[in-house]
Amino acid sequence: MAARTALAPLTADADLTAAFELLGRKWNGIILHTLATRPARFGELHTAIDSISTKMLTDRLRELVGAGLVTHALLPPGPATYALTADGRSLLPALEQIRSWSQHRTH
């Protein structure tokens, strides 16, 4: 009878787990990618992402600001705008890779 080889236990990568706790939430990646073009006011974001509710957009923006990926600043004269931080911008290549994957996968 052949001896069984014990398999090493699987473990999830802690850094990737932490990243997906934020990026894996619905709308966060879309908001970040939408802000890649330029800073935007709340209403502009809401129009651009037409299927998100006002409450959800508010909650997600608050979360992204808290995570240091988006800034919320008053630019006088006028309403507040949201913009990507350097950390937020550093995610754009990964978001583009995911977008490209989605375009090319078999549906």
Side-chain angles (χ1 to χ4, degrees):
M1 187 170 228
R4 280 190 142 174
T5 304
L7 299 175
L10 295 175
T11 57
D13 183 84
D15 293 326
L16 199 54
T17 299
F20 272 96
E21 284 176 3
L22 179 65
L23 296 177
R25 293 181 56 106
K26 188 171 183 178
W27 302 115
N28 282 354
I30 302 302
I31 293 167
L32 292 170
H33 193 266
T34 303
L35 287 171
T37 305
R38 63 172 176 80
R41 297 185 316 270
F42 183 90
E44 291 177 301
L45 285 171
H46 193 259
T47 299
I49 310 169
D50 63 351
S51 55
I52 191 170
S53 71
T54 301
K55 181 182 179 343
M56 182 65 70
L57 182 56
T58 299
D59 291 346
R60 293 299 186 252
L61 284 169
R62 188 175 297 128
E63 185 177 334
L64 293 169
V65 168
L69 301 176
V70 171
T71 61
H72 180 225
L74 286 172
L75 299 175
T81 60
Y82 294 90
L84 293 178
T85 63
D87 279 347
R89 285 206 157 301
S90 71
L91 287 168
L92 294 178
L95 293 174
E96 280 298 317
Q97 288 272 323
I98 293 167
R99 189 175 73 76
S100 178
W101 168 82
S102 181
Q103 288 175 332
H104 294 96
R105 71 185 195 103
T106 304
H107 293 280

